[in-house]
Amino acid sequence: MIVVGLILAVLAGLIHVYIFWLESVAWTSTRARAVFGMTAAQAEQTRQLAFNQGFYNLFLAVAACAGIVVWVFGAQTVGVTLAFTGTAMMLAASLVLFSSAPDKRSAATTQGLVPLLAIVALIVGLAVA
C-alpha cells in the first residue's frame, strides 16, 4: 500500500506542476484566465502574486516527488516523510481554498483529493508494515 501512496503522491505532484505552470508561466493566457475565471485586466493586475503562488505549488510537488526518488534509492523513512510532507501541505492548501472561497470548491477538491488519497494509502501502508 505504501507503493500505491507513493504513486498517488506523484500524481498529486503532477497536478501541482500543472497548477505551477498555469500560475507562473501562463497566467495571462486565455487558458489560465478561463481556469481561474479572470479577465485579462485582472490577470495582469495579479501576475506577480500568481507567479509567486505558482512556485509554492511547484515546491510542494518537488517535496512529494523527491520523497519517491529517495524511497526508490533505499532511504524509505526519509522518502515517505517527504511524500507525506508534500501531500499534507497540498491537502492543507486545498482545505484553506475550500473553506475560504465557496466558489472555488471544485478547484479545491481537484487540488486536494489525490493528496488525501496518497496520505490515506501511506498511513494504511505504514500501519500494516
Side-chain angles (χ1 to χ4, degrees):
M1 197 58 129
I2 291 175
V3 172
V4 171
L6 294 174
I7 290 168
L8 288 167
V10 168
L11 291 174
L14 291 174
I15 291 167
H16 281 72
V17 168
Y18 176 65
I19 296 168
F20 156 77
W21 179 80
L22 283 172
E23 292 175 341
S24 294
V25 177
W27 185 249
T28 58
S29 71
T30 303
R31 173 76 179 130
R33 290 194 330 264
V35 168
F36 292 99
M38 298 179 301
T39 66
Q42 290 169 322
E44 195 56 48
Q45 290 171 343
T46 58
R47 176 181 259 185
Q48 274 305 105
L49 177 67
F51 182 78
N52 188 46
Q53 182 173 310
F55 274 91
Y56 277 91
N57 284 297
L58 179 63
F59 299 149
L60 296 177
V62 168
C65 292
I68 286 83
V69 171
V70 170
W71 186 85
V72 166
F73 283 102
Q76 294 176 341
T77 301
V78 173
V80 169
T81 301
L82 282 169
F84 259 124
T85 300
T87 55
M89 288 187 286
M90 291 173 190
L91 179 59
S94 74
L95 292 172
V96 169
L97 180 60
F98 190 90
S99 64
S100 66
D103 63 318
K104 304 280 191 282
R105 287 192 171 156
S106 175
T109 302
T110 299
Q111 178 182 341
L113 182 60
V114 178
L116 173 63
L117 294 173
I119 290 166
V120 169
L122 288 170
I123 288 171
V124 169
L126 291 171
V128 299

